Amino acid sequence: DVKVTQSSRYLVKRTGEKVFLECVQDMDHENMFWYRQDPGLGLRLIYFSYDVKMKEKGDIPEGYSVSREKKERFSLILESASTNQTSMYLCASSDFQGARGNTIYFGEGSWLTVV
Amino acid sequence: LAKTTQPISMDSYEGQEVNITCSHNNIATNDYITWYQQFPSQGPRFIIQGYKTKVTNEVASLFIPADRKSSTLSLPRVSLSDTAVYYCLVGDPRGTHGSGNTGKLIFGQGTTLQVKP
């Protein structure tokens, strides 16, 4: 089975801190994603990456950056955490399967509280 | 990317068949329809994916009419453990490999299914 592992399940950080959320997938997938999920807003795409060192902005990239130095690892960075970034963050990965399409595999989520 | 519309919530009882319909009027030729299930405090999990007609797996069936402007997820004989949020997504999961448009799928608000005893 595909496994997407997020390093931290629950975090509490102070306003202004730099926050790193790490994600590792073990299926050699090319695509990786970071979403955030908030009540009433569903899942919103922050950034995605389709190759090492490649990244694309999603719908809400402001206040975030990402890093993909290795194929299996995709990091989300909050340069200066703010209270409105309190949320559940979901990492996901998928592979390109040509005409068969693909599916996205999600991690368990990281609950971040910024105080 | 095609926008989807699905009911915000549905109630059912154990043992019943549940059908959740999703509208996607501006679906594109290359778009697939994918459904995910999400339990509280967990990431979404893939249920089923289809392009046209009917797809069935061990978990659910997906019905897609000829015009592909809607789709229906069918869950046979639901149990309490099927209580979850169900998301319908429409998009081209293949994208254009290496272009930056690979598999960018947009989630809507989903349908919260509550199964009662």
Side-chain angles (χ1 to χ4, degrees), chain B:
Chain B
L1 295 168
K3 181 179 175 177
T4 60
T5 303
Q6 50 184 124
I8 295 295
S9 64
M10 293 181 70
D11 290 338
S12 181
Y13 291 92
E14 283 191 290
Q16 288 187 333
E17 178 184 76
V18 171
N19 295 309
I20 307 174
T21 297
C22 180
S23 298
H24 28 81
N25 291 321
N26 58 342
I27 189 169
T29 302
N30 293 332
D31 286 346
Y32 282 69
I33 300 155
T34 313
W35 286 80
Y36 287 81
Q37 174 192 56
Q38 186 178 24
F39 298 112
S41 300
Q42 293 185 24
R45 181 181 69 152
F46 171 85
I47 301 176
I48 198 165
Q49 184 178 77
Y51 184 79
K52 61 180 179 180
T53 63
K54 178 183 175 182
V55 179
T56 297
N57 61 23
E58 64 277 7
V59 176
S61 294
L62 178 60
F63 298 92
I64 305 168
D67 66 5
R68 304 201 325 122
K69 293 183 183 299
S70 67
S71 59
T72 299
L73 174 72
S74 181
L75 304 171
R77 296 181 300 280
V78 294
S79 64
L80 296 175
S81 62
D82 292 315
T83 293
V85 180
Y86 292 83
Y87 294 95
C88 164
L89 282 76
V90 174
D92 183 355
R94 300 163 298 168
T96 303
H97 186 52
S99 72
N101 187 34
T102 305
K104 180 182 175 182
L105 296 176
I106 305 298
F107 285 76
Q109 296 211 26
T111 297
T112 299
L113 173 65
Q114 179 71 50
V115 180
K116 302 175 181 178

Side-chain angles (χ1 to χ4, degrees), chain A residues 38-57:
Chain A
D38 302 286
L41 296 177
L43 278 82
R44 293 180 291 167
L45 181 63
I46 305 172
Y47 267 98
F48 68 102
S49 168
Y50 55 91
D51 202 350
V52 174
K53 296 189 186 294
M54 304 304 288
K55 60 185 179 184
E56 289 285 337
K57 293 180 179 179

Side-chain angles (χ1 to χ4, degrees), chain A residues 1-16:
Chain A
D1 280 350
V2 174
K3 191 162 180 68
V4 178
T5 304
Q6 296 183 226
S7 57
S8 302
R9 192 90 165 103
Y10 300 96
L11 307 94
V12 179
K13 297 292 182 181
R14 295 190 180 279
T15 300

